[in-house]
Amino acid sequence: MYPSLKRDSRFSELTNEHIQFFKSTLGDDAAVIDGVSKDATDDLEPFNRDWMKKYRGHTKLVLKPKSTEEVSKVLKYCNENKLAVVPQGGNSGLVGGSVPVFDEIVISLSRMNKIRNFDDISGILVVDGGVIMEIADNFLAEHNHLYPLDLGAKGSAQIGGNVATNAGGLRLLRYGSLHGNVLGIEAVLPDGTIFDDLSTLRKNNTGYDLKQLFIGGEGTIGIITGVSIHCAQRSKAINVAYFGLPSFEHVQRAYKEAKIQLGEILSAFELMDARSQAFVHEVTGNKRPLEGDHPFYCLIETSGSNTEHDSEKLEKFLEHVMGEEIVSDGVLAQDETQVRQLWGWREGITEAIGHFGGTYKYDLSIPIKELYSLVEETRDRLNSKGLVGDDDSYPAIAVVGYGHMGDGNLHLNVPVRKYTQEVEDAIEPWVYEWIQKRKGSISAEHGLGIAKKKYIGYQRSDTMLKLMRQTKDLYDPNGIMNPYKYI
Amino acid sequence: MYPSLKRDSRFSELTNEHIQFFKSTLGDDAAVIDGVSKDATDDLEPFNRDWMKKYRGHTKLVLKPKSTEEVSKVLKYCNENKLAVVPQGGNSGLVGGSVPVFDEIVISLSRMNKIRNFDDISGILVVDGGVIMEIADNFLAEHNHLYPLDLGAKGSAQIGGNVATNAGGLRLLRYGSLHGNVLGIEAVLPDGTIFDDLSTLRKNNTGYDLKQLFIGGEGTIGIITGVSIHCAQRSKAINVAYFGLPSFEHVQRAYKEAKIQLGEILSAFELMDARSQAFVHEVTGNKRPLEGDHPFYCLIETSGSNTEHDSEKLEKFLEHVMGEEIVSDGVLAQDETQVRQLWGWREGITEAIGHFGGTYKYDLSIPIKELYSLVEETRDRLNSKGLVGDDDSYPAIAVVGYGHMGDGNLHLNVPVRKYTQEVEDAIEPWVYEWIQKRKGSISAEHGLGIAKKKYIGYQRSDTMLKLMRQTKDLYDPNGIMNPYKYI
């Protein structure tokens, strides 16, 4: 699977003695899947493969501790015995960060799934690391609050994993990043030390904010066992509008106007290019929301506490941008069904594109002004090399761009009839060089994992990498935590 | 000044040779205030004293570099020559963090005051560390954006200092903390290394987020020379209401209702107790906003994009909380003058209290449910010891509580006729023990500096302190950065 990688010989091989220790420590049959003393390939399979079936490892052991103390005992033993480990939440990541590369032990947080506390005055939620995102959000909905993150994998993604990967998603524009919303973290360091910073305070200015290192640390310096997070009031009113626009210049003007006129109720501003919408139409057969063809489409969502006020603001905004010819055409969802239908034109893109074969996917941050230039330049590049076209003789089908416009986050997708070295070589590392020149990010929200590890030099200076590696060495001197990945 | 502290003998004494190096490196007469080769006591005075005149140091040298490269050269030399330094921004801190303790060299950022860039589509501002907060906010106002922080010292506080102290202030409830809003930091490490992480991206998931260590790092691991920060759209409409309430239980209900009904437009929920408002009335002589006496008062501010909508929401909210008898009485500002007048009853407290002599001040975070219990218990405690009363025979005048209710941030103030050991011993360390039991914070927004250093053990576990000291040793092995303070 990874021809350039070799198993690190510093790490011990698993023995029956190790297994005995884990079984007696965790004391529950359900807590250990043991593929060392017997064949357990099928039971281990879901922990060895990611959901895209793109990455695979060869673990022989899965441990499911039930408490922070158990995590501590297990990690301390692994550290002393030089056993490499991979922390695993919902295993819904996109960069191969949560599956083993070789025979690392998987430590699954799935049995640490308690909601510890919720204060409905402050809106502060405290949970075990293994609580599933959607379960937390449903619980919060009953208390008129919302989990400040939303993403496609919410039905399986765990909160500890959200934090470890610094997941972004659909609500970032409105509710901000986890670096601001996470108030406290409890984690276990490789030597078994319990990092006890599960503060439930919005303001706390007492020393270095070390918990931030675990946010986006991708399980390389410790395992997150508890999270305290600030949750906002749930909005009563959700409105959605969908526009067609003549150019990316117009998209930028529309975004600027939306920020001014919709201000505090703006909760999403999504960009979709013509090609992405054609794919959704072709695959779903759904009637298009607007007549005619437009080079660009946007979806705007507002969330607020008063339906009438929000509708009035959105209607006024629509009138303005159509009157000024910033947008060519637009439609406003009239009910919840239409809200879901319009969102389908954005959320259905990934599936529609995947329908035809493979896809080269890039999750990039780019200064907004240049956001779409990359799609155009990639299209020109593949065109000039004769690699993209409508008939089956071309390896690539199209070059598609969409994403979270408000966050400067572009998803560049190149659907292909089959994966070929030619197409890959035409895009990489060129795309990373392009990003490097604009000081963008080679991974906006997916993280590094094993997929982006080799490209980190396009993003970070030698100084920053040196400092990051110092942090890794300080927290994990034996290098047992999620090896072969990250920086 | 600090009888228990001794000058650390590891640090060199300043010589004329050192001065020569700094003069030739900075190459500008205005860049060096030299109290070594000549008497410059008066010129050095503002750098040796904080604005409260509570802390004082004895520096003989102030350096004012004009670029990141100059900061780098200066720090590298100091590190090699074991010269201790204190980074200084606007010197408006409250815990003695920005003035020297002994003869540390002051490195003032005052000449690094350029606004480097602003993107009015994304709302991302990039500035030198020495840019004054109010200047940035005025600049942003011209572009319909706002600096996401507001505090009394904004006319002198610098952005680098805001970030280094992780300042909280009045806008945190709405716009969140600097850990979420700061997108990039450029800093110089003690060995002269330039920490180049001045990203202007909202999403960037590529390695440990080390810049977070500088946010609230209080100048102990490096000097912040550049900041990139996300700024929100400036609201067109500001509304303010002022209430009287019968109990703290009612204050909590009012806050909960405000979150539900005002949701996205709520920008401040401030708490003032009866005694605090009596002080403001006594000192200013202003007519009280409400008839009669109430045990508690609250100030609510809303900021939004539509004046009519916001007024309607606030009026409906007022009707509801008065109808339900959650508040006893209330008034809504009718124009900008009244907005300022009502805010005066909150913002005027510090000055009014200070009118009678000294004040013991505590800036605490407490879970909201118990927020006001501390004021009551402190009052009972001083009463039972016969230390507080109306006539001049008592050392303490009153026990007063107010603060940012929405952030769980209480300012406990004990104005005294004169400072006495008896009053101090009655409050400390008792107040810190009280906070420790409730898992609150001994410093919500002011930081540690030299004032709170000795109490950090009430807040942080030995594990957390050990990890923090490892970070300090990693970045500043010679310990030259802002010594004698912090953790």
Side-chain angles (χ1 to χ4, degrees):
Chain A
M1 179 95 203
Y2 312 104
S4 64
L5 280 181
K6 275 211 171 109
R7 185 182 182 284
D8 190 329
S9 60
R10 283 181 308 168
F11 300 137
S12 308
E13 308 265 354
L14 267 170
T15 65
N16 280 319
E17 195 192 327
H18 297 141
I19 304 291
Q20 271 323 108
F21 172 83
F22 293 125
K23 282 189 175 165
S24 68
T25 302
L26 301 183
D28 184 335
D29 284 352
V32 180
I33 305 178
D34 165 18
V36 178
S37 55
K38 59 185 184 230
D39 177 32
T41 314
D42 288 353
D43 295 341
L44 292 168
E45 180 65 9
F47 300 91
N48 270 323
R49 279 226 128 164
D50 74 313
W51 71 275
M52 298 181 297
K53 301 199 191 305
K54 200 166 167 188
Y55 305 97
R56 99 156 358 280
H58 303 279
T59 195
K60 291 247 167 77
L61 184 67
V62 174
L63 303 175
K64 301 181 184 175
K66 233 189 147 154
S67 68
T68 306
E69 289 66 33
E70 285 188 358
V71 175
S72 168
K73 282 179 195 160
V74 162
L75 265 192
K76 185 169 190 288
Y77 183 84
C78 290
N79 194 46
E80 283 167 358
N81 290 277
K82 308 275 192 300
L83 292 162
V85 304
V86 177
Q88 191 175 90
N91 198 10
S92 57
L94 290 160
V95 291
S98 57
V99 285
V101 175
F102 296 102
D103 59 343
E104 302 94 278
I105 297 170
V106 170
I107 300 183
S108 163
L109 272 282
S110 57
R111 298 208 312 158
M112 286 192 66
N113 54 11
K114 282 198 192 56
I115 290 177
R116 297 193 195 174
N117 190 44
F118 178 65
D119 179 338
D120 70 350
I121 298 178
S122 64
I124 295 164
L125 175 76
V126 185
V127 294
D128 280 356
V131 169
I132 288 172
M133 214 176 133
E134 193 167 45
I135 289 177
D137 196 46
N138 290 342
F139 168 86
L140 287 163
E142 287 167 27
H143 297 83
N144 297 314
H145 281 71
L146 97 173
Y147 186 69
L149 206 65
D150 188 16
L151 40 85
K154 63 187 161 203
S156 51
Q158 295 174 9
I159 290 181
N162 286 171
V163 174
T165 57
N166 189 23
L170 298 167
R171 288 176 181 164
L172 188 134
L173 178 71
R174 172 69 167 273
Y175 300 105
S177 93
L178 288 171
H179 287 291
N181 290 320
V182 171
L183 303 178
I185 284 180
E186 176 193 87
V188 179
L189 306 186
D191 68 0
T193 298
I194 296 172
F195 177 98
D196 53 337
D197 188 23
L198 203 52
S199 161
T200 54
L201 308 167
R202 287 205 73 179
K203 287 179 173 176
N204 180 19
N205 246 352
T206 52
Y208 303 116
D209 196 358
L210 298 178
K211 71 169 182 291
Q212 301 284 351
L213 300 177
F214 295 86
I215 304 175
E218 300 189 26
T220 60
I221 54 171
I223 299 185
I224 297 170
T225 53
V227 174
S228 154
I229 187 164
H230 180 254
C231 302
Q233 200 71 31
R234 209 170 190 94
S235 296
K236 287 175 221 152
I238 305 283
N239 286 297
V240 168
Y242 180 95
F243 307 106
L245 304 97
S247 77
F248 187 66
E249 175 64 33
H250 288 79
V251 174
Q252 291 180 64
R253 285 174 61 197
Y255 177 55
K256 211 172 149 178
E257 280 304 319
K259 279 179 62 185
I260 294 170
Q261 296 197 28
L262 303 171
E264 66 280 1
I265 61 168
L266 184 65
S267 56
F269 193 108
E270 299 288 315
L271 165 75
M272 296 87 72
D273 68 5
R275 203 64 170 89
S276 74
Q277 299 303 276
F279 273 117
V280 176
H281 178 63
E282 195 178 334
V283 172
T284 64
N286 290 341
K287 186 176 175 294
R288 283 165 161 277
L290 302 176
E291 300 286 321
D293 284 328
H294 305 273
F296 291 91
Y297 297 86
C298 288
L299 182 148
I300 288 183
E301 185 195 77
T302 64
S303 321
S305 55
N306 185 306
T307 316
E308 273 170 50
H309 290 171
D310 293 4
S311 303
E312 199 187 312
K313 283 190 184 96
L314 198 50
E315 273 161 26
K316 223 171 121 186
F317 168 74
L318 248 173
E319 247 170 62
H320 175 79
V321 289
M322 290 184 70
E324 295 283 317
E325 295 183 355
I326 296 170
V327 313
S328 317
D329 199 1
V331 60
L332 209 53
Q334 297 303 320
D335 54 38
E336 266 192 52
T337 309
Q338 285 188 19
V339 163
R340 274 196 303 276
Q341 280 169 353
L342 289 180
W343 262 116
W345 289 90
R346 164 67 184 83
E347 295 193 305
I349 297 173
T350 310
E351 206 188 315
I353 287 179
H355 198 75
F356 301 93
T359 308
Y360 290 97
K361 281 175 176 288
Y362 304 90
D363 163 43
L364 311 158
S365 277
I366 301 171
I368 289 180
K369 280 172 193 164
E370 298 190 82
L371 189 87
Y372 201 73
S373 312
L374 178 60
V375 183
E376 289 162 340
E377 288 187 37
T378 307
R379 195 176 287 142
D380 291 348
R381 194 173 160 83
L382 294 189
N383 258 326
S384 72
K385 290 178 186 285
L387 294 170
V388 61
D390 281 336
D391 76 69
D392 284 357
S393 66
Y394 297 96
I397 302 167
V399 176
V400 179
Y402 61 99
H404 313 293
M405 171 85 181
D407 309 328
N409 183 185
L410 175 77
H411 296 307
L412 170 69
N413 280 204
V414 181
V416 289
R417 294 183 174 87
K418 58 176 187 216
Y419 290 109
T420 64
Q421 200 61 43
E422 261 185 302
V423 173
E424 193 174 319
D425 289 348
I427 309 175
E428 298 177 26
W430 173 83
V431 63
Y432 297 116
E433 286 162 7
W434 195 97
I435 291 295
Q436 186 177 33
K437 272 183 220 141
R438 274 89 184 166
K439 297 187 177 159
S441 175
I442 62 161
S443 187
E445 52 181 11
H446 298 170
L448 295 169
I450 194 156
K452 304 284 178 77
K453 181 188 166 75
K454 58 184 165 191
Y455 301 113
I456 182 74
Y458 288 100
Q459 166 84 57
R460 298 291 201 169
S461 69
D462 291 345
T463 297
M464 291 305 295
L465 285 174
K466 191 182 139 205
L467 291 168
M468 285 183 197
R469 286 178 185 133
Q470 280 181 350
T471 297
K472 168 75 176 174
D473 292 343
L474 185 65
Y475 282 80
D476 182 22
N478 292 337
I480 64 160
M481 299 293 304
N482 219 354
Y484 316 108
K485 300 172 187 166
Y486 206 53
I487 48 165
Chain B
M1 180 95 203
Y2 312 104
S4 64
L5 281 181
K6 275 210 170 109
R7 185 181 182 284
D8 189 330
S9 59
R10 285 181 305 168
F11 300 137
S12 308
E13 308 265 355
L14 267 170
T15 64
N16 279 320
E17 196 192 326
H18 298 142
I19 305 292
Q20 271 323 108
F21 172 84
F22 293 125
K23 282 189 177 166
S24 67
T25 302
L26 301 183
D28 184 336
D29 284 352
V32 181
I33 305 178
D34 164 20
V36 178
S37 56
K38 59 184 185 228
D39 178 32
T41 315
D42 288 352
D43 294 340
L44 292 168
E45 181 64 10
F47 300 91
N48 270 321
R49 280 226 126 164
D50 74 313
W51 70 275
M52 297 181 298
K53 301 199 192 310
K54 202 167 165 186
Y55 305 96
R56 98 159 354 282
H58 303 279
T59 194
K60 291 245 166 80
L61 183 67
V62 174
L63 303 177
K64 301 181 186 175
K66 234 189 148 155
S67 69
T68 306
E69 289 66 34
E70 285 188 0
V71 174
S72 168
K73 282 179 195 160
V74 162
L75 265 192
K76 185 169 190 288
Y77 183 85
C78 290
N79 194 47
E80 284 167 357
N81 291 277
K82 308 276 191 302
L83 291 162
V85 304
V86 177
Q88 192 174 91
N91 198 9
S92 58
L94 288 160
V95 290
S98 57
V99 286
V101 175
F102 295 103
D103 59 344
E104 302 93 279
I105 297 170
V106 170
I107 300 183
S108 164
L109 273 281
S110 57
R111 298 207 313 160
M112 286 191 67
N113 55 9
K114 282 199 192 56
I115 290 176
R116 297 192 194 174
N117 189 43
F118 178 65
D119 178 338
D120 70 350
I121 297 177
S122 65
I124 296 164
L125 175 75
V126 185
V127 294
D128 280 356
V131 169
I132 288 171
M133 211 174 135
E134 194 167 44
I135 289 177
D137 196 46
N138 290 341
F139 168 86
L140 288 162
E142 287 167 28
H143 297 82
N144 297 315
H145 282 71
L146 97 174
Y147 186 70
L149 205 68
D150 188 17
L151 41 84
K154 63 187 161 204
S156 52
Q158 295 174 9
I159 289 179
N162 286 171
V163 174
T165 57
N166 189 22
L170 298 168
R171 288 176 182 165
L172 188 133
L173 177 71
R174 172 70 166 274
Y175 300 104
S177 93
L178 289 171
H179 287 291
N181 290 321
V182 170
L183 303 178
I185 285 180
E186 175 194 87
V188 178
L189 306 185
D191 67 0
T193 298
I194 296 173
F195 178 98
D196 52 338
D197 188 23
L198 204 52
S199 159
T200 54
L201 308 167
R202 287 204 72 179
K203 286 179 172 174
N204 180 18
N205 247 353
T206 52
Y208 304 115
D209 196 358
L210 298 178
K211 71 169 182 291
Q212 300 284 351
L213 300 176
F214 295 86
I215 304 175
E218 300 190 25
T220 61
I221 53 171
I223 299 185
I224 297 171
T225 52
V227 174
S228 155
I229 187 163
H230 179 254
C231 302
Q233 201 69 30
R234 208 170 190 94
S235 296
K236 287 176 221 150
I238 305 283
N239 286 297
V240 168
Y242 181 95
F243 307 105
L245 305 98
S247 77
F248 187 65
E249 175 64 33
H250 288 79
V251 175
Q252 291 179 65
R253 287 174 60 197
Y255 177 55
K256 212 172 146 177
E257 281 302 321
K259 278 180 62 185
I260 293 170
Q261 297 197 27
L262 303 172
E264 66 280 1
I265 62 168
L266 184 64
S267 57
F269 193 107
E270 298 287 314
L271 165 75
M272 297 87 72
D273 69 4
R275 203 64 171 92
S276 75
Q277 299 303 276
F279 272 117
V280 176
H281 178 63
E282 197 179 332
V283 171
T284 63
N286 290 342
K287 187 175 174 294
R288 283 163 162 278
L290 302 175
E291 301 285 320
D293 284 328
H294 304 273
F296 291 91
Y297 296 87
C298 287
L299 182 148
I300 288 182
E301 185 194 76
T302 64
S303 319
S305 55
N306 185 308
T307 316
E308 271 170 51
H309 290 170
D310 293 4
S311 303
E312 198 186 313
K313 284 190 183 94
L314 197 51
E315 273 160 26
K316 222 172 123 186
F317 168 74
L318 246 172
E319 246 170 61
H320 175 79
V321 288
M322 290 184 70
E324 297 282 317
E325 295 183 355
I326 296 170
V327 314
S328 317
D329 199 2
V331 61
L332 209 54
Q334 297 303 320
D335 53 38
E336 265 193 52
T337 310
Q338 285 186 20
V339 164
R340 273 196 303 275
Q341 280 170 352
L342 290 180
W343 262 116
W345 289 89
R346 164 66 184 85
E347 295 194 305
I349 298 173
T350 309
E351 204 189 317
I353 288 179
H355 198 74
F356 300 94
T359 308
Y360 290 98
K361 280 177 176 287
Y362 304 91
D363 162 43
L364 310 159
S365 276
I366 302 171
I368 289 181
K369 279 172 192 163
E370 297 190 83
L371 188 89
Y372 199 74
S373 311
L374 178 60
V375 183
E376 289 164 339
E377 288 186 39
T378 307
R379 195 175 286 142
D380 291 349
R381 194 172 159 84
L382 294 188
N383 257 325
S384 73
K385 290 178 186 284
L387 293 170
V388 60
D390 281 337
D391 75 68
D392 284 358
S393 66
Y394 296 97
I397 302 167
V399 176
V400 180
Y402 60 99
H404 313 294
M405 171 85 181
D407 309 327
N409 183 186
L410 175 76
H411 296 307
L412 170 69
N413 280 204
V414 181
V416 289
R417 293 182 175 88
K418 59 177 186 215
Y419 291 108
T420 64
Q421 199 60 44
E422 262 185 303
V423 173
E424 193 174 319
D425 290 347
I427 309 175
E428 297 177 26
W430 173 83
V431 64
Y432 297 116
E433 286 162 6
W434 195 98
I435 291 296
Q436 187 177 31
K437 273 183 218 142
R438 274 92 184 162
K439 298 187 176 158
S441 175
I442 63 163
S443 188
E445 52 182 9
H446 297 171
L448 296 168
I450 194 157
K452 303 283 179 76
K453 180 186 165 77
K454 60 185 164 189
Y455 301 114
I456 182 75
Y458 287 100
Q459 166 85 57
R460 296 292 199 168
S461 68
D462 290 346
T463 297
M464 292 304 296
L465 285 174
K466 190 183 140 206
L467 291 168
M468 286 183 195
R469 286 180 185 131
Q470 279 180 350
T471 298
K472 168 74 175 173
D473 292 343
L474 185 66
Y475 282 80
D476 182 23
N478 292 336
I480 64 160
M481 297 294 303
N482 219 354
Y484 317 108
K485 300 172 188 166
Y486 205 54
I487 48 166

